[in-house]
């Protein structure tokens, strides 16, 4: 029987702990030959918090772990009885994830290694606050977005007149209503 990928539901925020627990439980049970990869698909994103730019990991599928395994009673129970696991997607009759979907997810993971993406996507007419640089603490409106360069053209009001300023994504925060 060939190994297939199955989706395991986990407590959100505990996906990496579930992966580590599964790897340890598989090793302790001596069932390594029935398990393959355990994926927690995520990417690096940049976010501005408190005026400082930080790189964070953002999961593509919060609350889910992809496990490559041969399905049997023993393997099903090993996964199901792992701490912070709520069950399989499909419960008693889990359905495997098609190989093309897994390849797509792996391509997403590999593609995210290029450069951290901004956590926030900006659009024209978004209200923003400048948090870094010469225009810090000014508010403005996004006039143009250049995602490939991670730059924005923002209209800020200086001395009562709107002025266009080019800023990096990490120099502004989106103002949410």
């Amino acid at each position: 029987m060939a190994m297939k990928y199955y989706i395991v539901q986990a407590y959100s925020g505990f996906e990496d702990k579930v992966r580590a627990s599964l790897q340890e439980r598989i090793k302790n049970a001596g069932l390594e030959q029935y398990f393959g990869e355990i994926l927690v698909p995520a990417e690096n994103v940049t976010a501005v918090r408190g005026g400082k730019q930080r790189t964070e990991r953002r999961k593509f599928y919060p609350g889910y772990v992809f496990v490559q395994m041969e399905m049997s009673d023993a393997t099903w129970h090993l996964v199901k009885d792992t701490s912070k696991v709520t069950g399989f997607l499909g419960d008693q009759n889990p359905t495997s994830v098609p190989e093309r979907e897994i390849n797509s997810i792996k391509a997403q993971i590999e593609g995210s290694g290029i450069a951290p993406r901004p956590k926030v996507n900006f659009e024209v007419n978004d209200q923003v606050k400048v948090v870094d640089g010469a225009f810090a603490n000014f508010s403005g409106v996004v006039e143009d977005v250049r995602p490939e360069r991670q730059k924005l053209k923002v209209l800020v009001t200086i001395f009562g007149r709107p002025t266009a300023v080019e800023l990096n994504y990490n120099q502004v925060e989106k103002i949410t209503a």
Side-chain angles (χ1 to χ4, degrees):
M1 194 163 121
M3 282 197 235
K4 295 181 179 178
Y5 282 90
Y6 296 91
I7 301 174
V8 175
Q9 293 173 304
Y11 292 0
S12 193
F14 289 91
E15 299 87 353
D16 292 320
K17 283 189 170 80
V18 166
R19 177 178 45 200
S21 295
L22 275 172
Q23 288 167 333
E24 190 173 320
R25 287 177 52 96
I26 291 164
K27 188 177 171 206
N28 291 343
L31 297 175
E32 293 96 329
Q33 71 270 25
Y34 300 109
F35 288 88
E37 276 186 299
I38 300 174
L39 296 174
V40 178
E43 66 180 338
N44 289 327
V45 293
T46 56
V48 178
R49 287 231 176 103
K52 296 199 185 317
Q53 181 177 342
R54 303 178 195 279
T55 301
E56 303 173 345
R57 300 271 304 150
R58 180 173 64 192
K59 296 183 176 49
F60 293 137
Y61 307 101
Y64 296 100
V65 178
F66 293 79
V67 180
Q68 185 183 28
M69 60 187 275
E70 271 185 38
M71 188 58 72
S72 70
D73 277 353
T75 58
W76 185 89
H77 282 291
L78 184 133
V79 173
K80 180 82 172 78
D81 297 339
T82 301
S83 177
K84 310 283 188 241
V85 168
T86 58
F88 282 91
L89 205 61
D91 203 29
Q92 298 294 329
N93 303 318
T95 52
S96 62
V97 180
E99 197 66 35
R100 69 181 187 289
E101 293 289 328
I102 293 297
N103 292 337
S104 167
I105 291 167
K106 286 181 180 178
Q108 249 183 318
I109 294 169
E110 288 165 17
S112 71
I114 298 164
R117 291 185 349 164
K119 189 170 185 174
V120 179
N121 291 324
F122 294 98
E123 294 178 20
V124 174
N125 294 327
D126 279 350
Q127 295 281 325
V128 295
K129 178 181 177 189
V130 182
V131 293
D132 185 36
F135 300 99
N137 297 321
F138 279 82
S139 293
V141 177
V142 176
E143 189 177 60
D144 187 28
V145 182
R146 295 195 189 99
E148 69 284 349
R149 292 180 48 219
Q150 294 196 0
K151 298 242 183 220
L152 301 169
K153 190 182 285 183
V154 179
L155 281 179
V156 293
T157 304
I158 303 171
F159 303 121
R161 296 176 45 177
T163 307
V165 189
E166 187 172 88
L167 300 165
N168 293 322
Y169 277 17
N170 63 1
Q171 290 181 286
V172 297
E173 282 181 352
K174 194 184 269 192
I175 298 173
T176 52

